[in-house]
């Protein structure tokens, strides 16, 4: 079977170490204990005196985080900024623009941004496999509401319908190749005719022209395809592989090593933002539409879909699964054989943040935080 696969490779540049400044305040020496007078209570030494909440609060090593979250935005960042969660944690987010996933990863590799959140899972893992020292420490979308479209009236029975068909999708999208392998096909690249286009609009046009049988579309394409007469949405990527991890929060490993308090406080703000998002989705649609400069109808087309799932959890187990699939299908560098991907996933700071948020705000929504803990145990243990 003829395969048309266009593989995009990133030119990797040397990593520039990130530096940050921060300090720890030392404790003053205890005051000398005065003699007790008759009938008076013995005073406590100065070092035993109650500390104010402000004195107890940790100070982030750096207060400004340079962040790329793509043109589609990040609803958790939007909420955390709007509701003041970042400010409460002593943080300011500085948006760094990039026109494509490859550009965002290049900015991260060269130290021009601190965090990338909308560049998928394959891109960061391929960078790590090539020798770039990155760490996955959290998440954005778990399921990105990415629709699979076909000509109007096409029936969908499952991923088996892709076998032997032309599918406009880059096979580095591991949810599909992994699902094909789960059917028993050792070589998913031969089982399906993968056709790669430079953008989703071209892939969509190919379906309309009968050049391909199916096409994967991006999150932001939901509004367009739902309003087209020529095509149907037959499935979503999350139907093919639940919790496939979609977009991870990624940074240079050195940034985490130098700024652990900053990262923990960042995760606390995002966890609180998710709680607010789950309880106020209609308002979240309005906020996100304003943030990315589009209509509420456009945002609602994907955000109100059951296949749109956001969660700042690192998803250690799904990331390891993605790494294994990419390795088996040849989308990782040979250097990957000498890399343990577990060394590039940090779950400790997210869990510490979650524990602190539950202690501070858990009584505001006990059921939500109970579910969040269960989700963490399921995906990271």
């Amino acid at each position: 079977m003829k395969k048309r696969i266009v593989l995009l490779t990133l030119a990797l540049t040397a990593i520039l170490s990130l530096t940050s400044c921060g300090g720890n305040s030392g404790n003053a020496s205890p005051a000398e204990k005065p003699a007790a007078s008759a009938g008076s209570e013995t005073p406590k030494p100065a070092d035993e005196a109650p500390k104010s909440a402000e004195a107890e609060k940790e100070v982030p090593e750096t207060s400004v985080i340079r962040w790329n979250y793509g043109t589609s935005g990040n609803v958790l960042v939007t909420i955390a900024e709007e509701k003041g969660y970042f400010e409460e944690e002593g943080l300011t987010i500085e948006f760094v623009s990039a026109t494509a996933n490859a550009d965002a990863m290049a900015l991260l590799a060269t130290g021009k941004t601190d965090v990338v959140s909308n560049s998928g899972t394959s891109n960061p893992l391929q960078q790590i496999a090539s020798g770039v020292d990155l760490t996955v420490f959290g998440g954005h979308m778990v399921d990105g509401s990415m629709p699979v479209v076909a000509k109007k009236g096409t029936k969908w029975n499952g991923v088996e319908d892709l076998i032997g068909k032309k599918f406009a999708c880059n096979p580095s999208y591991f949810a599909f190749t992994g699902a094909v392998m789960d059917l028993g096909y050792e070589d998913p690249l031969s089982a399906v005719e993968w056709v790669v286009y430079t953008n989703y609009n071209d892939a969509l046009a190919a379906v309309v022209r009968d050049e391909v049988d199916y096409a994967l579309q991006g999150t932001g394409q939901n509004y367009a395809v739902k309003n087209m007469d020529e095509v149907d949405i037959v499935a979503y990527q999350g139907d093919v592989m639940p919790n496939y991890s979609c977009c991870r929060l990624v940074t240079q490993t050195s940034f985490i090593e130098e700024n652990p308090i900053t990262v923990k406080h960042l995760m606390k703000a995002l966890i609180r933002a998710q709680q607010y998002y789950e309880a106020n989705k209609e308002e979240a649609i309005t906020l996100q539409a304003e943030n990315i400069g589009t209509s509420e109808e456009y945002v609602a087309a994907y955000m109100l879909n059951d296949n749109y799932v956001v969660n700042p959890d690192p998803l250690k187990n799904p990331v390891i699964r993605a790494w294994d699939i990419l390795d088996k299908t040849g989308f990782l560098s040979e250097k990957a054989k000498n890399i343990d991907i577990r060394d590039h996933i940090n779950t400790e700071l997210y869990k510490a943040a979650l524990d602190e948020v539950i202690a501070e705000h858990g009584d505001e929504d006990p059921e939500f935080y109970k579910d969040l803990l269960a989700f963490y145990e399921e995906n990271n243990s």
Side-chain angles (χ1 to χ4, degrees):
M1 181 185 299
K2 179 181 178 182
K3 298 184 292 182
R4 291 192 290 167
I5 305 175
V6 177
L7 303 182
L8 302 178
T9 59
L10 299 177
L12 301 178
T13 57
I15 305 174
L16 301 178
S17 297
L18 297 178
T19 59
S20 62
C21 55
N24 298 318
S25 299
N27 292 327
S29 299
E32 183 179 352
K33 181 178 179 180
S37 59
S40 66
E41 183 179 2
T42 303
K44 293 182 179 181
D47 62 344
E48 293 182 16
K51 296 180 180 179
S52 68
E54 190 63 30
E56 293 272 357
K57 190 171 183 179
E58 297 173 316
V59 178
E61 296 89 352
T62 182
S63 61
V64 178
I65 299 175
R66 299 169 300 167
W67 194 312
N68 171 266
Y69 46 76
T71 56
S72 60
N74 183 318
V75 68
L76 298 184
V77 174
T78 299
I79 291 172
E81 288 188 308
E82 177 69 23
K83 300 303 173 183
Y85 300 152
F86 285 133
E87 184 178 0
E88 288 180 32
E89 297 299 333
L91 302 175
T92 299
I93 304 303
E94 180 181 293
F95 176 64
V96 178
S97 178
T99 57
N101 288 343
D103 296 332
M105 296 312 300
L107 288 172
L108 183 60
T110 55
K112 295 177 181 177
T113 190
D114 301 317
V115 174
V116 168
S117 66
N118 289 42
S119 291
T121 299
S122 298
N123 287 312
L125 294 187
Q126 287 173 317
Q127 291 263 301
I128 292 169
S130 297
V132 182
D133 193 6
L134 304 178
T135 291
V136 175
F137 68 96
H140 171 208
M141 290 182 283
V142 175
D143 185 337
S145 189
M146 296 179 68
V148 177
V149 300
K151 287 296 286 289
K152 197 78 172 179
T154 301
K155 302 300 180 183
W156 176 262
N157 302 299
V159 71
E160 59 268 25
D161 288 351
L162 297 177
I163 305 302
K165 300 292 180 63
K166 293 182 178 180
F167 183 27
C169 173
N170 191 316
S172 68
Y173 280 80
F174 55 85
F176 293 97
T177 52
V180 170
M181 285 193 290
D182 288 344
L183 292 176
Y185 294 88
E186 293 185 6
D187 182 10
L189 301 187
S190 295
V192 177
E193 186 170 353
W194 308 87
V195 185
V196 179
Y197 291 88
T198 56
N199 60 63
Y200 291 123
N201 287 332
D202 289 344
L204 180 60
V207 172
V208 174
R209 295 194 299 264
D210 288 320
E211 295 175 1
V212 298
D213 300 293
Y214 301 95
L216 177 67
Q217 295 289 284
T219 303
Q221 300 295 110
N222 274 275
Y223 182 76
V225 297
K226 286 179 179 179
N227 287 281
M228 290 180 64
D229 294 329
E230 301 94 334
V231 301
D232 281 335
I233 296 174
V234 297
Y236 284 86
Q237 189 167 196
D239 298 327
V240 172
M241 179 177 284
N243 289 354
Y244 62 93
S245 90
C246 194
C247 293
R248 299 297 83 210
L249 284 182
V250 189
T251 187
Q252 285 199 32
T253 300
S254 60
F255 186 81
I256 281 190
E257 292 173 345
E258 296 167 7
N259 303 283
I261 295 175
T262 296
V263 173
K264 185 180 70 171
H265 282 239
L266 165 63
M267 300 313 296
K268 289 179 68 176
L270 294 179
I271 290 167
R272 293 181 64 194
Q274 191 199 346
Q275 186 280 325
Y276 194 91
Y277 165 78
E278 298 292 348
N280 303 276
K281 287 190 178 180
E282 292 292 342
E283 181 185 351
I285 289 171
T286 300
L287 292 175
Q288 188 68 346
E290 292 175 353
N291 181 260
I292 63 177
T294 189
S295 69
E296 293 186 20
E297 291 78 13
Y298 174 88
V299 175
Y302 62 81
M303 193 174 286
L304 293 183
N305 191 309
D306 289 341
N307 291 90
Y308 182 80
V309 181
V310 295
N311 194 310
D313 191 294
L315 296 184
K316 176 181 177 181
N317 297 338
V319 171
I320 293 172
R321 175 182 62 188
W323 176 271
D324 291 340
I325 294 171
L326 290 168
D327 190 31
K328 290 176 181 177
T329 50
F331 286 96
L332 297 183
S333 164
E334 280 300 311
K335 296 179 181 179
K337 307 298 182 185
N338 300 317
I339 296 174
D340 186 346
I341 190 57
R342 293 166 181 81
D343 295 336
H344 294 268
I345 306 172
N346 184 304
T347 61
E348 290 80 8
L349 292 174
Y350 171 79
K351 182 56 165 57
L354 179 57
D355 290 342
E356 289 187 15
V357 171
I358 290 174
E360 297 165 5
H361 304 282
D363 57 353
E364 298 171 8
D365 194 342
E367 196 63 30
F368 168 80
Y369 289 111
K370 178 183 176 182
D371 291 344
L372 209 59
L373 270 174
F375 188 81
Y376 173 82
E377 295 298 332
E378 177 185 351
N379 289 283
N380 297 278
S381 298

